């Protein structure tokens, strides 16, 4: 199965294992996620090429990767810009995400192994620590790790490839959906409840809790953006 798609400097996915266009793409994603590049802002090829001490070709390839993943768009006479999303598009993203995660939960229910529960505990602990610190950026990273683990345990490359198409834009939206300590603590509790339901082999309840979690995230994004 592929590695976690959530790119952060210093993560387990070391930069030297990646091609230059992928490293440039990861850098841009992080900057968007952290709010340094904002919707509608132009991504200047010459500046990125100078930053990475390379020609424009790898930068163009990186921007293309982000374009096909829905995070960047190209406009006539403006070039590549950070994409913004209309409310309907945001709703569609969350609807597709939930459908894929529910499919993943069905697969997990069919092949559940007791030791899988332990794989969630370090992530939940890191989520709790980030919530206690009020660190929304770090929390969003571990939140993504949680949902990535669900997809990995489903054991389906096809599901993963479909899910990956929503990953980049959803990661940028996640930062908006958990901005206050109250949001962070509530989200942490929801994720703990999902794992507890799986531990008890109550996968119908796990799916219901997962649906609530995704819906609450969507509501918070819409409240902030629209």
């Amino acid at each position: 199965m592929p590695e976690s798609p959530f790119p952060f400097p210093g993560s387990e996915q070391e930069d030297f294992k990646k091609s230059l266009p992928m490293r440039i793409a990861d850098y841009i994603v992080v900057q968007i996620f952290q709010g340094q590049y904002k919707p509608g802002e132009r991504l200047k090829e010459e500046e990125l090429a100078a930053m990475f001490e390379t020609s424009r070709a790898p930068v163009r390839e990186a921007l293309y990767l982000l374009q096909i993943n829905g995070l960047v768009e190209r406009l006539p006479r403006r070039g590549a810009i950070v994409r913004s999303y209309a409310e309907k598009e945001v709703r569609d993203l969350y609807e597709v995400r939930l459908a894929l995660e529910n499919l993943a939960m069905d697969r997990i229910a069919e092949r559940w192994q007791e030791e899988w529960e332990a794989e969630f505990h370090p992530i939940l602990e890191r989520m709790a620590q980030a919530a206690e610190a009020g660190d929304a950026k770090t929390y969003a990273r571990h939140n993504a790790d949680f949902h990535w683990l669900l997809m990995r345990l489903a054991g389906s490359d096809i599901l993963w490839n479909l899910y990956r198409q929503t990953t980049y834009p959803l990661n940028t939206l996640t930062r908006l959906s958990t901005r206050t300590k109250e949001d962070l603590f509530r989200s942490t509790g929801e994720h703990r409840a999902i794992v507890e339901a799986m531990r008890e082999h109550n996968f119908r309840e796990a799916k219901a809790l997962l649906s609530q979690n995704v819906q609450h995230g969507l509501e918070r994004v819409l409240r902030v953006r629209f």
Side-chain angles (χ1 to χ4, degrees):
M1 293 293 289
E3 295 178 325
S4 170
F6 207 73
F8 275 84
S11 69
E12 292 180 1
Q13 291 77 50
E14 297 295 343
D15 283 348
F16 68 84
K17 296 180 181 178
K18 297 184 176 181
S19 68
L20 180 56
M22 289 182 66
R23 296 204 305 271
I24 296 172
D26 282 359
Y27 169 81
I28 295 171
V29 171
V30 172
Q31 296 308 303
I32 293 173
F33 176 79
Q34 293 180 342
Q36 301 303 313
Y37 293 151
K38 302 186 183 304
E41 182 172 346
R42 182 172 169 242
L43 298 168
K44 300 177 181 178
E45 291 182 7
E46 62 274 17
E47 291 183 359
L48 289 164
M51 183 182 302
F52 284 87
E53 299 181 341
T54 186
S55 68
R56 292 193 183 188
V59 174
R60 291 193 185 108
E61 186 174 344
L63 293 174
Y64 174 73
L65 289 172
L66 296 180
Q67 182 180 353
I68 63 177
N69 278 285
L71 207 59
V72 165
E73 62 181 331
R74 287 190 175 274
L75 298 179
R77 296 181 296 278
R78 287 198 65 192
I81 66 168
V82 178
R83 181 177 175 180
S84 58
Y85 284 85
E87 179 177 346
K88 182 181 183 302
E89 292 175 305
V90 172
R91 290 184 181 277
D92 287 347
L93 275 170
Y94 274 81
E95 184 175 339
V96 169
R97 170 191 174 180
L98 180 58
L100 294 173
E101 290 187 357
N102 277 333
L103 284 172
M105 189 67 77
D106 288 339
R107 292 291 300 273
I108 291 171
E110 294 171 357
R111 54 201 298 271
W112 177 254
Q113 299 178 33
E114 300 300 333
E115 59 268 25
W116 287 354
E117 179 196 353
E119 296 192 40
F120 288 95
H121 291 171
I123 299 173
L124 289 171
E125 182 60 29
R126 290 191 288 269
M127 292 171 75
Q129 291 171 356
E132 183 63 37
D135 187 344
K137 293 178 183 178
T138 300
Y139 183 88
R141 173 184 176 180
H142 299 313
N143 182 40
D145 288 341
F146 181 99
H147 290 272
W148 154 242
L149 179 56
L150 282 177
M151 301 307 297
R152 179 172 68 80
L153 295 180
S156 170
D157 285 332
I158 292 177
L159 268 182
W160 161 247
N161 287 329
L162 291 170
Y163 188 76
R164 187 177 183 275
Q165 294 178 39
T166 70
T167 298
Y168 281 145
L170 281 171
N171 284 347
T172 63
L173 293 169
T174 298
R175 177 170 173 261
L176 295 174
S177 70
T178 47
R179 300 185 64 160
T180 68
K181 267 198 169 186
E182 180 181 358
D183 290 339
L184 297 173
F185 282 124
R186 180 181 185 183
S187 180
T188 302
E190 290 172 349
H191 287 83
R192 287 193 185 279
I194 292 168
V195 175
E196 179 64 19
M198 288 192 292
R199 186 185 69 81
E200 295 178 349
H201 295 223
N202 190 346
F203 290 97
R204 178 177 295 180
E205 177 68 9
K207 286 180 68 173
L209 292 168
L210 180 62
S211 297
Q212 290 176 14
N213 173 252
V214 173
Q215 179 62 35
H216 291 160
L218 171 61
E219 291 169 359
R220 289 191 292 265
V221 168
L222 296 178
R223 186 172 68 236
V224 171
R225 285 182 63 96
F226 302 102

